[in-house]
Amino acid sequence: MSATAQATDSPLSEKQRRILDYLEANAGEQTYFKSRLIGEELGLSAKEVGTNMTAIADGDHALDVEKWGYSSSTTWMVEA
């Protein structure tokens, strides 16, 4: 499937797609991700990441995403 077709078929926004791509690229190496650190990598605020992670967690993707903790930034458990 081409990138254009994939983008139009996807119910995710551009920010959500960027976050999901980041998680897919890194889920094999780590399980827990802080919104703050994801945001630093992608040029987003922790709040933007947290808001968009809910759509990713609720979606049907190859990753299982679960809100895990709240100390110094929301932590997400991601399993491939």
Side-chain angles (χ1 to χ4, degrees), residues 1-12 17:
M1 178 180 289
S2 73
T4 304
Q6 189 175 29
T8 57
D9 291 344
S10 175
L12 298 177
R17 173 55 49 201

Side-chain angles (χ1 to χ4, degrees), residues 55-69:
I56 294 169
D58 292 343
D60 185 22
H61 308 288
L63 300 177
D64 290 324
V65 178
E66 178 182 338
K67 189 180 277 190
W68 192 254

Side-chain angles (χ1 to χ4, degrees), residues 1-78:
M1 178 180 289
S2 73
T4 304
Q6 189 175 29
T8 57
D9 291 344
S10 175
L12 298 177
S13 71
E14 184 268 334
K15 285 181 186 177
Q16 293 164 351
R17 173 55 49 201
R18 286 175 50 208
I19 294 167
L20 181 59
D21 290 345
Y22 174 82
L23 294 174
E24 288 174 340
N26 293 285
E29 299 169 14
Q30 90 188 67
T31 303
Y32 299 96
F33 296 85
K34 288 195 172 286
S35 292
R36 177 178 49 84
L37 299 177
I38 295 170
E40 287 176 8
E41 287 291 320
L42 301 177
L44 303 170
S45 71
K47 185 173 183 171
E48 286 177 300
V49 172
T51 300
N52 288 290
M53 284 290 280
T54 303
I56 294 169
D58 292 343
D60 185 22
H61 308 288
L63 300 177
D64 290 324
V65 178
E66 178 182 338
K67 189 180 277 190
W68 192 254
Y70 300 99
S71 63
S72 74
S73 180
T74 301
T75 301
W76 301 89
M77 183 178 72
V78 179

